Amino acid sequence: MKELDKLSEGVVRFLARSNSRRGVLATIGGVITGGAMFPALPVARASGPAAGSGYDGVTPQSTGNPMDPGDPASCDYWRYCGIDGFLCSCCGGSASVCPPGTEMSPITWIGTCRNPADDVNYIISYNDCCGKPACGRCLCNRNDGERPMTRPQLNNDINWCLGTSTAAYTCSTAVIIGVAVKEGNG
Amino acid sequence: MKSVLALILMSTAAGAEPAPGVANEARAKMNWMLHCQGCHQPDATGSANGAPGMANDVARFLRVEGGREYLTRVPGVANAGLDNAQLAELLNWTLGTFDRQHVPNDFSPFTAEEMAAGRARPLVSDAAMMREALRNKFPASEEGSAGGD
């Protein structure tokens, strides 16, 4: 116990010798003010990923399948080559599933996209999900192979939530429905 | 035992039998997906106020005068982004796949030349009118045969 007393006394005396009282107050004041200012500094908050969609709260996703590479929450994902709309992957659904409470449109825009993993062209159906207000996240507008309104069969601005009980557009999926054969010119 | 085997072989053969006038079934199916099914739906049942349904129905046009020509001139066919040969194949495949029961026994498959002649005179807003006019010529006795499996 005596040893502890001696140690405490030594430490306190050392502090008293090496610090002025005003100096201590200035240091404490600086720490408090600096600490309060720190969160307001314009530094990256790291809430969004460096790569990917760039939308707040949307983290990178993966299919977990090496033959289906890329981030389904990013416009660059291979299945989205002809997409126009909000990604359901960013809206509570996935690249092939509608968010809860929405209805998948049976009338769709259909095209092909090349999968970089196997260099095969897959037939992709861009089914809309309908019935909730527009999701507003991850707007993608790649439109590879799209044609103007004068070619309505190849224009993706016509069919928005047709064939569903409501015409309220929520987001878009990209469902693989087949494999394109080489002989075709579609 | 032998007869059972023969039966199995026969049924397999019947299932794989290609539709007349279809050179490449995989290509025809792909063209159906890319050029038709977005609006006509995968089972050709069509969409309300949009593309008409074709399942168990479309080949009946072959049985009335002017119907065969009509099929080469409807907007979806005439304006499809396909060459005449693939368009003929696609139409033949559609008839055989979605309405085999109504394809006449003496049906001769559509040819590239026939498609070229039809799409040179495409129907636009008059397609629906012509469809109704042809429909009125359908024999009433055939109504009950629609359905199938």
Side-chain angles (χ1 to χ4, degrees), chain B residues 1-118:
Chain B
M1 191 63 199
K2 226 178 224 173
S3 63
V4 172
L5 194 69
L7 207 67
I8 290 168
L9 280 173
M10 268 169 65
S11 61
T12 335
E17 187 193 336
V22 179
N24 182 338
E25 199 166 5
R27 180 177 62 194
K29 188 171 184 204
M30 178 188 74
N31 283 333
W32 163 261
M33 287 173 138
L34 288 173
H35 298 277
C36 313
Q37 90 166 41
C39 293
H40 284 286
Q41 304 227 31
D43 56 358
T45 48
S47 48
N49 304 321
M54 299 194 283
N56 302 319
D57 183 60
V58 66
R60 297 168 76 191
F61 285 98
L62 297 170
R63 294 167 174 244
V64 294
E65 201 188 335
R68 187 179 167 105
E69 190 198 1
Y70 162 79
L71 292 178
T72 67
R73 294 176 63 198
V74 291
V77 171
N79 298 324
L82 288 169
D83 63 37
N84 293 326
Q86 285 196 34
L87 189 60
E89 178 184 75
L90 174 54
L91 182 51
N92 291 327
W93 182 87
T94 304
L95 290 163
T97 302
F98 297 112
D99 194 21
R100 178 74 66 104
Q101 61 184 329
H102 286 129
V103 176
N105 291 332
D106 59 351
F107 168 68
S108 59
F110 285 90
T111 62
E113 294 72 33
E114 204 174 355
M115 302 315 291

Side-chain angles (χ1 to χ4, degrees), chain A residues 71-118:
Chain A
D71 175 4
S74 155
C75 296
D76 297 332
Y77 180 53
W78 69 274
R79 282 198 225 172
Y80 299 149
C81 73
I83 207 162
D84 177 1
F86 306 115
L87 303 181
C88 286
S89 298
C90 302
C91 309
S94 77
S96 50
V97 175
C98 282
T102 63
E103 182 188 355
M104 190 178 267
S105 166
I107 310 300
T108 81
W109 199 64
I110 295 176
T112 62
C113 291
R114 184 182 293 268
N115 182 346
D118 55 10

Side-chain angles (χ1 to χ4, degrees), chain A residues 11-26:
Chain A
V11 168
V12 170
R13 280 185 189 280
F14 171 76
L15 279 174
R17 267 201 307 276
S18 57
N19 291 295
S20 72
R21 266 165 283 183
R22 285 187 188 170
V24 168
L25 285 176

